[in-house]
Amino acid sequence: EGVGGDSLQHEMDVHNLAVEHSQEEVEKYQAMVEGRKELEGFVIKRETALWERIDNLKEKVKRLSHREGMDWFGEGPHRVEITLEYPQYTPDQDVSTWPRITKPFIIELAPLSLMPHTVTFFLTQVHYKLWNGIHLHHNMNHIYHFGVPAPHVNDIGDVTPSMEYLQFQNRKLDKVIFQEYHPEYPHEEWTVGFSGRPSGTEFYVNKLNNTIIHGPGGQPYDAHADVDPCFGKVVEGRDVFEEINKIPSNHLLILDGGGAVIQSIRPLFLEKNPVDEKMKRTIENVGLERSDSSQ
C-alpha cells in the first residue's frame, strides 16, 4: 500500500470512530432515561465493542510486526544462541573454589506466522544485546527464570529502575504491546515464554509441560484471556540446565559472580545476516538519493 492509501485509511478510521462514539453517547443517555436495565445493557454493549476494537488493534500490530520481522530478520526459521556462564558443581569442594565455565544453548523461535509481534520484539532485543549480563534469578520447580528486576517503588511512589532495566526502557523494548499467544504454540516442556504483565524484561524456560498454568486463564490476574507469550523452544544445549540443576539453589545467589549469567546472546542466521543486508541497502539508497539531489 502507498503512503496516500495509508493516510486515507487513517482518516476513514478516525471518522468511523467519531461516528461510533456519537452513536454510543446517544444510546447512553437514552438508556439512562429509560432505566437501570437498559443502562446495564448499554454498558455490556459498550464493553463488547471496546474489546472488539482492542482485538482489531492487536491484529494490526501483528501485521506490522510480521512485515518488520520479515524485513529485518528474514523469513526464518530464527535461532538464537545464548552462552551462559555459571559455577560448575564440584562435589566435596568448597563452593568458593568451584570453577566458572561457559556453555551455550540454542533457542529456535516460533514461526513469524504464529507469533509475529513477540518474535520480532525478542529478536530486536537480541540485536541490541540487551540480555547480555542478565542473571538466572530463579531455578524453580517448573521454570528457569531469567530477567531484569522490576523498577522499585518506594513509600512515596517514586520509581527507581535498575541500570539493566533502563537499557531496555531506553530502547523502548521493556514491554510488549500486547500479550500475544497462539494455541498451536503452547507452553510445553523446554519452550520459552515471557513473564510479567506487561511482559518484556523477563523470560523463562519451561521445565515441565506448563500449558495449563501458563496458558489462557492459567493465572488469576489475567484479564480478557491475557497469557504469557510462548515464543521459542530450547533445541540444543539442554545439558546446560541439567548441570545448573546440580547446584543447590541457595548457591546460585551467594557465589562470587552472581551465579548463572548470560554472557552473550546472538542470532544464528542460515545465510547472510538480514540485518546487515538491510543496513547495506539503506546506505546504498541514501547514497543514490544524495547523488540524484546533487545533479
Side-chain angles (χ1 to χ4, degrees), residues 82 84 105 107 131 133-150 165 187 190-208 210 214 219 221 228-229 231 234 241 244-245 249 252-253 258-262:
I82 298 178
L84 279 187
F105 66 93
I107 299 173
W131 292 105
I134 302 305
H135 289 75
L136 170 67
H137 282 290
H138 301 290
N139 181 9
M140 306 171 73
N141 291 331
H142 66 304
I143 61 171
Y144 303 96
H145 182 254
F146 299 84
V148 178
Y165 188 88
H187 287 272
W190 292 111
T191 55
V192 180
F194 272 129
S195 61
R197 295 292 185 278
S199 300
T201 63
E202 302 171 79
F203 75 87
Y204 56 83
V205 176
N206 286 297
K207 287 185 175 183
L208 311 171
N210 292 317
H214 290 167
Q219 301 296 325
Y221 51 78
D228 288 353
F231 62 92
V234 178
F241 296 98
I244 287 176
N245 273 336
S249 58
L252 280 177
L253 299 179
V261 59
I262 296 176

Side-chain angles (χ1 to χ4, degrees), residues 58-265:
K58 289 179 180 179
E59 290 302 317
K60 188 169 185 177
V61 170
K62 287 182 181 180
R63 291 196 300 271
L64 293 174
S65 295
H66 188 276
R67 184 191 307 173
E68 183 178 5
M70 291 284 288
D71 197 23
W72 279 101
F73 305 110
E75 184 177 2
H78 304 96
R79 287 190 168 198
V80 170
E81 180 186 75
I82 298 178
T83 299
L84 279 187
E85 177 189 319
Y86 57 95
Q88 185 176 40
Y89 176 68
T90 310
D92 303 325
Q93 288 191 21
D94 186 85
V95 173
S96 61
T97 66
W98 289 1
R100 295 188 67 81
I101 61 174
T102 58
K103 281 190 177 182
F105 66 93
I106 294 175
I107 299 173
E108 182 165 302
L109 303 183
L112 275 175
S113 59
L114 297 184
M115 297 290 290
H117 174 52
T118 310
V119 168
T120 301
F121 181 85
F122 182 71
L123 282 171
T124 307
Q125 292 177 322
V126 171
H127 171 71
Y128 287 114
K129 306 183 187 303
L130 298 180
W131 292 105
N132 290 8
I134 302 305
H135 289 75
L136 170 67
H137 282 290
H138 301 290
N139 181 9
M140 306 171 73
N141 291 331
H142 66 304
I143 61 171
Y144 303 96
H145 182 254
F146 299 84
V148 178
H152 174 71
V153 182
N154 62 21
D155 295 337
I156 61 174
D158 291 334
V159 180
T160 308
S162 65
M163 292 302 296
E164 293 89 350
Y165 188 88
L166 283 174
Q167 293 183 51
F168 285 84
Q169 193 174 59
N170 290 340
R171 289 287 184 181
K172 300 187 185 304
L173 292 169
D174 54 314
K175 55 178 72 73
V176 295
I177 295 177
F178 72 99
Q179 303 292 121
E180 185 177 34
Y181 182 78
H182 199 288
E184 293 182 22
Y185 211 88
H187 287 272
E188 297 175 344
E189 184 180 10
W190 292 111
T191 55
V192 180
F194 272 129
S195 61
R197 295 292 185 278
S199 300
T201 63
E202 302 171 79
F203 75 87
Y204 56 83
V205 176
N206 286 297
K207 287 185 175 183
L208 311 171
N209 186 332
N210 292 317
T211 301
I212 295 178
I213 63 172
H214 290 167
Q219 301 296 325
Y221 51 78
D222 286 339
H224 193 57
D226 268 355
V227 62
D228 288 353
C230 186
F231 62 92
K233 187 171 186 176
V234 178
V235 293
E236 294 183 29
R238 294 175 180 177
D239 58 305
V240 172
F241 296 98
E242 294 172 3
E243 293 184 14
I244 287 176
N245 273 336
K246 297 177 183 177
I247 305 172
S249 58
N250 61 319
H251 289 171
L252 280 177
L253 299 179
I254 65 174
L255 285 173
D256 183 37
V261 59
I262 296 176
Q263 184 188 70
S264 65
I265 182 169

Side-chain angles (χ1 to χ4, degrees), residues 14-83:
V14 171
H15 173 73
N16 291 335
L17 190 62
V19 171
E20 290 180 13
H21 179 71
S22 299
Q23 292 174 340
E24 288 177 355
E25 288 298 299
V26 172
E27 292 178 2
K28 179 179 71 174
Y29 289 113
Q30 183 177 357
M32 292 174 66
V33 171
E34 293 179 355
R36 179 176 177 179
K37 184 176 180 180
E38 286 74 13
L39 182 59
E40 290 177 349
F42 166 77
V43 171
I44 293 173
K45 180 180 178 181
R46 186 164 187 174
E47 183 177 2
T48 300
L50 173 63
W51 286 118
E52 288 178 353
R53 290 174 187 168
I54 291 174
D55 289 339
N56 289 336
L57 286 173
K58 289 179 180 179
E59 290 302 317
K60 188 169 185 177
V61 170
K62 287 182 181 180
R63 291 196 300 271
L64 293 174
S65 295
H66 188 276
R67 184 191 307 173
E68 183 178 5
M70 291 284 288
D71 197 23
W72 279 101
F73 305 110
E75 184 177 2
H78 304 96
R79 287 190 168 198
V80 170
E81 180 186 75
I82 298 178
T83 299

